[in-house]
């Protein structure tokens, strides 16, 4: 069983700086990347704010961890599912999010978008396919 | 069935640790296996032996320690989350030059890899939190 690859989904539901959940979730993702599982991230509810462009935490003196999302591709974390309805409910579009990319080793290292926009229904189906859901 | 348990909230402020404890105890009584209980976020605060609740209330920390002793439970506190929140064992005390430690009996401090390993090895990961 330990040899099996499991489908891991990290579910991000909260805004990035009001609580520590988003940052500590990212720490789990980075450590988990070393375990060679089939990993994806889900962003829904206020979690979509985690991927906003141009975060500036200077005035609130919080550590700005937004650049870390750009490094996920280097850790082979390349599936970031963002729920369309959650964006719409907050007046956002995918244009408001960081243009996160990864290089696809199966396609001559072509640069591809890590962010995949999915509907609420598709998100539910994706969750249903997982072996493990980490909820943050 | 083999379970991994994750506790994301501290004691008393939130019922997550109570629910996790009740779930873990019930699962063990039914003959299931608990591979590990992993304390993350403010959940690391479940691992301080300095907690002193009023006598007419449950002792959340001591209850975990007793369950660990009875069943050989593996209670793991995340080191990165613990360092931020001042949960310290003997090794961490020496490594970080602190003047005290406060880890409760039955708990140990280790890395996030322990959470991932628990999720890989168990049939179910059950997360308690908001």
């Amino acid at each position: 069983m330990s040899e099996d690859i499991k489908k891991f989904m990290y579910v991000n539901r909260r805004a990035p700086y009001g609580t520590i959940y988003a940052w500590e979730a990212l720490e789990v993702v980075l450590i988990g990347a070393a375990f060679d599982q089939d990993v994806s991230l889900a962003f829904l509810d206020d979690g979509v704010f985690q991927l906003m462009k141009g975060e500036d935490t200077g005035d609130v003196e919080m550590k700005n961890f937004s650049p870390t999302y750009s490094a996920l591709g280097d850790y082979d974390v390349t599936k970031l599912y963002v729920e369309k309805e959650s964006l719409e409910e907050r007046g956002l579009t995918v244009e408001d999010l960081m243009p996160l990319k990864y290089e696809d080793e199966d396609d001559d290292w072509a640069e591809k978008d890590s962010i995949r926009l999915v509907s609420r229904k598709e998100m539910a189906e994706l969750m249903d396919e997982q072996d493990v859901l980490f909820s943050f | 069935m083999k379970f991994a348990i994750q506790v994301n909230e501290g004691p008393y402020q939130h019922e997550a640790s109570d629910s996790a404890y009740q779930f873990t105890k019930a699962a063990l009584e039914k003959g299931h296996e608990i591979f590990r209980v992993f304390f993350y976020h403010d959940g690391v605060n479940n691992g301080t032996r300095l907690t002193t609740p009023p006598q007419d209330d449950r002792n959340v920390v001591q209850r975990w320690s007793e369950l660990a002793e009875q069943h050989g439970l593996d209670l793991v506190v995340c080191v990165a989350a613990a360092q931020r929140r001042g949960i310290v064992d003997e090794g961490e005390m020496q490594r970080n030059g602190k003047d005290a430690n406060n880890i409760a009996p039955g708990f140990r401090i280790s890395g996030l890899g322990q959470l991932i390993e628990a999720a890989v090895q168990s049939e179910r990961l059950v997360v308690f939190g908001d």
Side-chain angles (χ1 to χ4, degrees):
Chain A
M1 183 164 167
S2 58
E3 299 301 312
D4 288 354
I5 291 182
K6 286 191 170 182
K7 287 173 81 77
F8 273 34
M9 177 179 265
Y10 299 92
V11 182
N12 298 284
R13 298 173 289 129
R14 293 185 175 88
Y17 298 101
T19 61
I20 201 171
Y21 297 105
W23 173 227
E24 289 192 331
L26 207 44
E27 290 189 331
V28 179
V29 173
L30 295 175
I31 297 289
F35 283 74
D36 291 330
Q37 304 295 311
D38 179 2
V39 170
S40 64
L41 274 62
F43 295 86
L44 47 102
D45 300 345
D46 279 350
V48 297
F49 286 119
Q50 293 179 27
L51 301 178
M52 289 280 285
K53 266 183 202 161
E55 295 277 4
D56 179 358
T57 60
D59 287 348
V60 289
E61 298 182 7
M62 305 276 278
K63 175 189 167 84
N64 186 344
F65 57 85
S66 294
T68 311
Y69 293 101
S70 310
L72 288 175
D74 300 333
Y75 287 82
D76 286 331
V77 178
T78 60
K79 290 178 283 193
L80 276 59
Y81 297 106
V82 176
E83 193 184 80
K84 206 161 121 282
E85 287 87 340
S86 293
L87 285 176
E88 286 166 358
E89 285 159 8
R90 289 160 182 79
L92 302 173
T93 72
V94 74
E95 301 301 315
D96 295 306
L97 307 182
M98 293 181 280
L100 302 174
K101 308 277 187 193
Y102 73 100
E103 292 176 343
D104 189 351
E105 59 180 342
D106 298 325
D107 189 8
D108 199 23
W109 304 99
E111 202 175 62
K112 296 187 176 175
D113 289 323
S114 297
I115 291 179
R116 304 166 192 210
L117 217 51
V118 297
S119 69
R120 191 158 280 166
K121 182 169 176 294
E122 289 167 324
M123 188 65 94
E125 287 162 5
L126 283 166
M127 287 182 174
D128 201 37
E129 292 169 9
Q130 304 301 316
D131 296 307
V132 182
L133 287 163
F134 291 92
S135 183
F136 295 102
Chain B
M1 186 172 278
K2 197 192 287 188
F3 290 101
I5 308 294
Q6 184 180 340
V7 182
N8 286 342
E9 302 293 339
Y12 303 103
Q13 166 81 13
H14 201 290
E15 201 179 336
S17 180
D18 293 271
S19 302
Y21 169 82
Q22 300 295 355
F23 179 93
T24 301
K25 188 163 167 278
L28 289 166
E29 283 166 1
K30 292 268 185 192
H32 298 291
E33 183 185 342
I34 303 293
F35 182 81
R36 178 170 295 144
V37 183
F38 192 86
F39 296 86
Y40 198 45
H41 301 307
D42 274 358
V44 299
N45 291 310
N46 288 287
T48 168
R49 68 171 185 272
L50 302 184
T51 304
T52 314
Q55 286 193 347
D56 60 355
D57 198 358
R58 75 239 187 264
N59 189 323
V60 173
V61 174
Q62 195 182 320
R63 232 169 32 174
W64 277 118
S65 292
E66 286 166 1
L67 199 65
E69 194 181 353
Q70 286 161 17
H71 297 276
L73 265 187
D74 190 18
L75 306 180
V76 177
V77 174
C78 169
V79 61
Q83 285 175 340
R84 287 190 178 107
R85 295 164 177 87
I87 305 298
V88 182
D89 65 6
E90 182 76 31
E92 283 292 299
M93 179 180 98
Q94 284 170 8
R95 222 178 342 273
N96 299 310
K98 301 295 178 183
D99 61 2
N101 70 75
N102 59 349
I103 194 88
F107 289 81
R108 63 188 180 95
I109 294 180
S110 189
L112 277 169
Q114 299 272 306
L115 170 62
I116 306 294
E117 186 205 14
V120 171
Q121 297 292 334
S122 304
E123 289 158 88
R124 293 284 188 281
L125 169 73
V126 187
V127 182
F128 292 86
D130 256 338

